[in-house]
Amino acid sequence: MAMVRIPTAWRGLSGRQGEVRVPGATVGEVLEHLGRLHPELGARVLDERGAVRRYVNVFLNDEDIRFLEELATPVADADRLSLIPAMAGG
């Protein structure tokens, strides 16, 4: 199972957990399982079509999944996914 790192601002949606172990063979499967475990968190990460929301960056270890195979990127048990919400302000 991969480890998913939850940003501080979203930890209230994951039972105050900073990291969650989630099964899945691809990034997409891991995020779908995460959404089943924590539906409110899943809704922040994936849209109704199952795509990563545009204001969320997902990293597999230190690589942005947009530069890999996106949701089809394979995930190993020792891998770490990081969810990074985009920041905006003025």
Side-chain angles (χ1 to χ4, degrees):
M1 283 193 259
M3 183 66 75
V4 179
R5 299 180 83 191
I6 311 298
T8 303
W10 290 354
R11 288 184 185 166
L13 306 173
S14 67
R16 301 272 176 229
Q17 298 178 74
E19 295 184 328
V20 180
R21 281 220 174 269
V22 183
T26 64
V27 170
E29 288 179 11
V30 170
L31 295 178
E32 286 174 16
H33 279 100
L34 179 67
R36 286 199 274 291
L37 291 170
H38 302 286
E40 291 179 19
L41 177 59
R44 293 276 177 108
V45 177
L46 298 177
D47 65 17
E48 57 281 341
R49 297 170 308 165
V52 176
R53 292 191 181 275
R54 62 186 168 112
Y55 60 82
V56 177
N57 298 302
V58 179
F59 287 81
L60 176 63
N61 300 316
D62 293 325
E63 294 290 325
D64 189 327
I65 66 165
R66 292 176 293 184
F67 301 108
L68 300 171
E69 296 175 53
E70 296 190 356
L71 293 176
T73 303
V75 175
D77 283 346
D79 285 338
R80 185 175 300 266
L81 283 175
S82 298
L83 306 178
I84 312 291
M87 297 295 187

